[in-house]
Amino acid sequence: MLNVADRRISPRRLLLAAAVFHILVTLTVSIVGKSELFPHTLNTHGIGTSFVIDSSTYREHALQMANLLQEGKLREWANIGPPNLSPFQLRLYSVFLAALGPVVGYGILAVEPLNLAYYLLMLVFIYLIGRETFSDSVGQLAAIVVALWPSLL
């Protein structure tokens, strides 16, 4: 007879499911944005213009920095510092835009690998905190709830 521990889904499988789910949501948002189905909600780059106001600003600055990288202007890229924005986050996004932008476009698909890494790391940390603080099942439940939280997708 199987006990409860044998019937539960492994954390690795849940993490893989979360990764696939995140990628599918990103692809859907990108397609909806490119199709201009909701032009006042999502722009053609897949960025939520009505609910994630700063994303367009980040994209523009990261795109300027990506252009510097593509032109080989590393010194200018390293010294640029847009006001009121996280320079570290912008640098990471600009690297992905420079590398993947020419292939998949300069929207959310280009930065999906980075966003996916953030998403999965966050789920792992939430699981570990829940497991250490309460129990393994609480850690899994907390990670599942956060994985499905709309604003994190």
Side-chain angles (χ1 to χ4, degrees):
M1 218 156 151
L2 293 175
N3 62 25
V4 174
D6 293 334
R7 287 184 285 176
R8 103 182 168 173
I9 300 170
S10 75
R12 284 189 178 150
R13 286 183 184 236
L14 286 172
L15 202 59
L16 179 61
V20 169
F21 179 66
H22 194 274
I23 291 167
L24 290 175
V25 167
T26 302
L27 284 170
T28 302
V29 167
S30 181
I31 291 168
V32 168
K34 286 193 185 309
S35 302
E36 297 182 13
L37 294 176
F38 303 105
H40 300 294
T41 305
L42 293 171
N43 69 16
T44 57
H45 304 292
I47 295 173
T49 55
S50 65
F51 56 93
V52 190
I53 298 165
D54 64 343
S55 290
S56 293
T57 304
Y58 268 99
R59 181 189 172 275
E60 292 304 317
H61 286 289
L63 194 54
Q64 290 172 2
M65 294 173 75
N67 288 333
L68 291 173
L69 282 176
Q70 289 171 332
E71 294 168 3
K73 297 179 179 177
L74 295 178
R75 183 170 295 163
E76 291 87 346
W77 175 82
N79 292 326
I80 197 168
N84 302 322
L85 301 176
S86 167
F88 180 72
Q89 184 178 4
L90 278 174
R91 289 191 203 303
L92 287 176
Y93 279 123
S94 70
V95 168
F96 281 88
L97 283 171
L100 298 176
V103 179
V104 297
Y106 293 92
I108 61 169
L109 291 181
V111 296
E112 174 58 12
L114 182 59
N115 284 338
L116 181 61
Y118 286 151
Y119 177 74
L120 295 177
L121 280 171
M122 184 174 39
L123 295 181
V124 167
F125 289 142
I126 288 168
Y127 165 73
L128 292 173
I129 290 168
R131 185 186 74 185
E132 290 300 313
T133 307
F134 298 103
S135 68
D136 189 66
S137 58
V138 169
Q140 281 191 5
L141 180 61
I144 289 169
V145 167
V146 170
L148 299 174
W149 202 260
S151 63
L152 294 176
L153 294 171

